[in-house]
Amino acid sequence: MIQEHVLGEIQDVREDGTAVITAGLPDLDRALLRQYKRVEIILPDGRRISPEQRRKVYAILGEISEYVNGYRDGDALEEMKATMKMDFMLKRMESMERRLFSLSDCSVTTARAFIDYLVSFVIANDIPTKVPLIEQCEDVSKYMYACTMHRKCAVCGKPADIHHCEGSRIGAGVDRTKVHQLGREVLPLCRVHHTELHAMPESEFIAKYHLEKVKLDEALCKRLKFKR
């Protein structure tokens, strides 16, 4: 069975304790065909996974499932969710208690880490997405780091050049392979967005796309083949 996760908004709370909630339906035809009557409502209390985080998880899992399987249905999505949760738990939860978690009631912290893991997985495996990943990520700095590591444009996801930011630029005609780059600040940008950046103040471009500068560390220099 395909699970639909949508966000709703409370419009009114009545004296009898009931509430009027409006929510957009992702597939109106399916809703009319199946005549949905009952829905699950989860009210976030600030300590558990939020509806927005849950929506992000399922959106990204759907993109991965469709890319891997060539289609997207409920069974494939559930299998992909189980696989990715297990991989995340084994590889990315060193500092947390290694145990299975549920997307219905896990902590906000676990949800945030899982979303960032999924985003990094998509970037590393060059999986196309309908929604820009920067809109799905929880931690922009981790997203920017992953884009730099895999030379993906932080704006659109296409193959990227490494733009050296103001204060970290290397002079024209200088052999970059002979210049120490550890600690320099960069942005991973495709040719189109790299050109756009040079047509405006750098700070304005960064603010427009909600980016963050990435400081080159040992791992990035090694991956990008920059002199440390």
Side-chain angles (χ1 to χ4, degrees):
M1 180 178 68
I2 298 177
Q3 291 183 315
E4 299 288 358
H5 295 263
V6 301
L7 297 180
E9 183 175 344
I10 297 176
Q11 299 292 338
D12 187 35
V13 178
R14 298 169 178 166
E15 292 182 357
D16 62 358
T18 60
V20 177
I21 299 174
T22 60
L25 296 174
D27 193 328
L28 179 59
D29 291 336
R30 179 186 297 154
L32 294 174
L33 177 65
R34 298 189 176 183
Q35 297 182 328
Y36 293 141
K37 299 296 183 183
R38 301 176 66 85
V39 298
E40 178 185 21
I41 298 175
I42 300 175
L43 300 177
D45 63 4
R47 293 175 294 174
R48 299 295 178 183
I49 182 173
S50 70
E52 177 65 15
Q53 286 179 315
R54 191 177 295 106
R55 181 200 64 76
K56 288 180 179 180
V57 169
Y58 279 96
I60 301 171
L61 285 172
E63 301 279 19
I64 296 172
S65 178
E66 186 171 349
Y67 177 79
V68 172
N69 299 303
Y71 58 88
R72 185 188 304 202
D73 65 17
D75 291 338
L77 182 60
E78 288 301 310
E79 289 179 8
M80 185 59 65
K81 179 176 72 172
T83 299
M84 300 305 289
K85 284 172 61 178
M86 182 61 69
D87 189 61
F88 166 75
M89 183 189 72
L90 294 176
K91 295 181 178 179
R92 304 298 176 94
M93 296 182 74
E94 294 84 0
S95 61
M96 308 176 195
E97 182 183 354
R98 283 191 171 181
R99 61 182 179 83
L100 291 175
F101 60 95
S102 171
L103 292 176
S104 65
D105 63 356
C106 68
S107 70
V108 169
T109 300
T110 297
R112 183 180 298 118
F114 187 49
I115 291 169
D116 289 332
Y117 158 75
L118 292 174
V119 168
S120 295
F121 181 88
V122 168
I123 293 172
N125 290 279
D126 201 22
I127 297 174
T129 60
K130 298 179 179 65
V131 177
L133 284 175
I134 196 168
E135 297 180 16
Q136 303 282 34
C137 72
E138 291 281 291
D139 189 325
V140 175
S141 63
K142 290 182 179 179
Y143 165 76
M144 296 295 301
Y145 189 93
C147 286
T148 305
M149 179 67 75
H150 297 283
R151 286 187 177 267
K152 300 296 181 183
C153 179
V155 178
C156 67
K158 293 180 180 178
D161 299 327
I162 303 300
H163 165 77
H164 287 73
C165 300
E166 294 177 5
S168 294
R169 292 177 181 168
I170 299 172
V174 177
D175 187 348
R176 294 192 175 193
T177 63
K178 297 181 179 180
V179 176
H180 292 283
Q181 304 212 37
L182 187 66
R184 292 179 185 267
E185 292 182 320
V186 300
L187 293 172
L189 300 171
C190 68
R191 294 295 174 87
V192 171
H193 288 107
H194 201 172
T195 300
E196 181 184 351
L197 179 149
H198 284 293
M200 65 174 70
E202 185 177 273
S203 59
E204 183 179 324
F205 179 88
I206 290 174
K208 176 181 178 179
Y209 291 108
H210 309 290
L211 307 179
E212 291 185 10
K213 299 177 182 178
V214 179
K215 183 171 289 188
L216 294 173
D217 60 13
E218 293 278 353
L220 286 174
C221 286
K222 182 178 180 180
R223 181 63 179 260
L224 299 172
K225 298 181 180 180
F226 287 165
K227 186 178 179 64
R228 296 190 289 278

